[in-house]
Amino acid sequence: DGGITQSPKYLFRKEGQNVTLSCEQNLNHDAMYWYRQDPGQGLRLIYYSQIVNDFQKGDIAEGYSVSREKKESFPLTVTSAQKNPTAFYLCASSISEGFYYEQYFGPGTRLTVT
Amino acid sequence: QKEVEQNSGPLSVPEGAIASLNCTYSDRGSQSFFWYRQYSGKSPELIMFIYSNGDKEDGRFTAQLNKASQYVSLLIRDSQPSDSATYLCAVKILESGGYQKVTFGTGTKLQVIP
C-alpha cells in the first residue's frame, strides 16, 4: 500500500522536552510538508521541503526544526522553544505536473504537552 | 487581510438540499485551488481541485472559480448526512525560487440535517 505514515497517533510530553514526530512516505513524492492545526482552525504551514537536503520555513516555523536526509522521510522536532506545542500535526507530500497538483496527508499526530 | 478566507459556519442544510460553500483569496498569482473535506479528528481528504475559470463537476460536487473576483466555491448537490464535515479551501502559489506553497483557509463546518 502506498501512502504516508505518521507515528505515533497520540504523543504526550512534559513541558521543556523536545519531541520528534515521524513522517514517512512511499509515494516517491519530492515535496513534503508539515502543518499544524489547532481546534476550530485551518492548517498552518510549519516547514516544507521540495527536495532532499533542502527545506523552507513556513508561516509558523519558530520553535520547530526539520531535516530531509532521505526522500521518504521528513521528521519534525518540536523544541522547548515552541510556546504552545499542543496541537494536531499533519504531514503531507505532493505531486505536481504542470497545473496538476495533489497533496496527500498522513493520519496526523496529536501532541499534548503538559 | 487573511490570504484565504472562509465563513466558519456552521452552515446547516436539510438532507437533499444544495450546500454552497465560499472562499476568497488575496494573491492574484494563485494558480490552483482545492477543496478538502475533514471529518473531526481525521486528516483532510481532497475532493476537488480547479485551476481554470468556470465550473468543474465531479459527481455531486461542483467547484466554481472566478479569478477576476478572486473567489472559489463548492456546491454539494443532494446533500447527505455523511457530508457533515469541515470543508477547507486551499490555494497554491508559486513562490520565488520555484517553491510551491499551499495556504489553507480556516474551514467551513457543514451540518446536513436528516
Side-chain angles (χ1 to χ4, degrees), chain A residues 3-91:
Chain A
I4 302 175
T5 57
Q6 292 185 245
S7 60
K9 187 173 182 179
Y10 298 96
L11 189 54
F12 299 88
R13 281 292 184 269
K14 293 290 188 184
E15 193 173 322
Q17 294 179 333
N18 290 356
V19 59
T20 297
L21 310 184
S22 167
C23 177
E24 303 280 331
Q25 56 103 357
N26 61 5
L27 300 167
N28 200 33
H29 289 169
D30 288 318
M32 296 187 74
Y33 308 78
W34 274 105
Y35 294 92
R36 168 185 173 138
Q37 188 175 36
D38 294 283
Q41 299 295 311
L43 279 63
R44 291 186 291 169
L45 183 64
I46 304 172
Y47 269 99
Y48 59 106
S49 169
Q50 300 283 151
I51 57 172
V52 174
N53 293 322
D54 184 45
F55 47 82
Q56 301 294 316
K57 291 183 178 180
D59 300 315
I60 55 165
E62 185 175 348
Y64 299 97
S65 66
V66 294
S67 64
R68 187 88 187 274
E69 297 175 1
K70 299 187 300 182
K71 188 174 186 177
E72 304 79 25
S73 179
F74 192 40
L76 174 74
T77 296
V78 185
T79 74
S80 56
Q82 168 51 232
K83 298 200 183 312
N84 297 296
T86 295
F88 186 43
Y89 289 88
L90 287 157
C91 178

Side-chain angles (χ1 to χ4, degrees), chain A residues 9 33 35 37 40-43 45 48 50 54 56 58-59 88 90 96 98-108 110, chain B residues 2-3 31-32 34 36 38 40-46 49 51 67 88 92 95 98-107:
Chain A
K9 187 173 182 179
Y33 308 78
Y35 294 92
Q37 188 175 36
Q41 299 295 311
L43 279 63
L45 183 64
Y48 59 106
Q50 300 283 151
D54 184 45
Q56 301 294 316
D59 300 315
F88 186 43
L90 287 157
S96 175
F99 278 103
Y100 176 79
Y101 177 93
E102 187 162 353
Q103 195 172 52
Y104 297 81
F105 284 88
R110 194 167 298 277
Chain B
K2 291 183 181 177
E3 293 180 50
Q31 295 181 320
S32 304
F34 309 88
Y36 286 84
Q38 186 177 28
S40 182
K42 303 295 186 182
S43 59
E45 57 178 321
L46 181 67
F49 82 93
Y51 57 85
K67 289 188 177 180
L88 301 170
K92 183 174 78 72
E95 294 200 314
Y99 295 106
Q100 300 192 76
K101 180 182 172 185
V102 178
T103 301
F104 286 79
T106 55

Side-chain angles (χ1 to χ4, degrees), chain B residues 70-111:
Chain B
Q70 295 176 248
Y71 84 79
V72 56
S73 62
L74 178 70
L75 300 178
I76 306 175
R77 289 182 298 282
D78 188 24
S79 295
Q80 301 297 309
S82 59
D83 294 327
S84 298
T86 296
Y87 289 79
L88 301 170
C89 173
V91 173
K92 183 174 78 72
I93 301 166
L94 184 62
E95 294 200 314
S96 58
Y99 295 106
Q100 300 192 76
K101 180 182 172 185
V102 178
T103 301
F104 286 79
T106 55
T108 297
K109 186 171 183 179
L110 174 66
Q111 295 176 339

